[in-house]
Amino acid sequence: MTQKNAEALRAAFAAADTGDAGPLVALYHDDMTWAGFTLTGTQRLYSKSEFLEAFGVLAKLDESKNEVTDVQIVSDEIVVANVRVYRRLGDKELDITMVMTHRFIDGKVTHGTDIVPSSFERFWATTGLTV
């Protein structure tokens, strides 16, 4: 089952990068909890709706891409993904690898985390954009 989850994760991110966010939204359970970063570099817990709402800031950018470059199957339920994150606003660019963990139950992500390098918040600070 975990290999299927890893493949679903890759496919969902690839679809989202082409403008079809449906598979990615569907992959996350409605009661999902995500421990992730804010644009200022602090960490917080997000519900699914808050997590997806935070992605709205990407529409304000000139360019945004997320590419799953590697996945590691840790156990029957856990998949870790290295995600290349590219963001551009004018001449400001961010090109990093973010690490995301996903716990799957019955094919849906119920819990997750991400960690990013410090250049993440420096980029957002220079853009002046907020969620």
Side-chain angles (χ1 to χ4, degrees), residues 6 9-11 13-14 66-71 80-84:
L9 186 69
R10 281 185 184 272
F13 269 89
N66 296 303
E67 175 192 3
V68 176
T69 58
D70 188 40
V71 294
V80 177
N82 290 344
V83 181
R84 179 178 175 239

Side-chain angles (χ1 to χ4, degrees), residues 5 8-9 11-13 15-16 20-32 48 51-52 103-110:
N5 292 337
L9 186 69
F13 269 89
D20 180 8
L24 191 57
V25 171
L27 192 62
Y28 295 111
H29 192 278
D30 288 341
D31 293 327
M32 174 198 80
K48 179 180 179 176
F51 181 72
L52 296 174
R103 184 173 88 174
F104 284 83
I105 303 290
D106 298 328
K108 298 275 189 176
V109 176
T110 61

Side-chain angles (χ1 to χ4, degrees), residues 25 28-34 44-56 131:
V25 171
Y28 295 111
H29 192 278
D30 288 341
D31 293 327
M32 174 198 80
T33 301
W34 193 272
R44 64 164 282 207
L45 290 179
Y46 292 88
S47 67
K48 179 180 179 176
S49 61
E50 292 168 328
F51 181 72
L52 296 174
E53 182 180 305
F55 278 105
V131 177

Side-chain angles (χ1 to χ4, degrees), residues 2 8 13 16-17 25 37 43-44 46 48 58 70 75 78-79 89-90 94 98 101 104 107 113 119 122 126:
T2 305
F13 269 89
D17 249 8
V25 171
F37 276 80
Q43 289 181 294
R44 64 164 282 207
Y46 292 88
K48 179 180 179 176
L58 300 182
D70 188 40
S75 69
I78 299 174
V79 176
L89 181 64
L94 176 69
M98 169 173 59
T101 61
F104 284 83
T113 66
S119 55
R122 286 195 307 271
T126 64

Side-chain angles (χ1 to χ4, degrees), residues 83-87 94-98 115-117 119-120:
V83 181
R84 179 178 175 239
V85 173
Y86 179 79
R87 309 283 185 261
L94 176 69
D95 193 352
I96 61 169
T97 297
M98 169 173 59
I115 189 125
V116 294
S119 55
F120 178 85

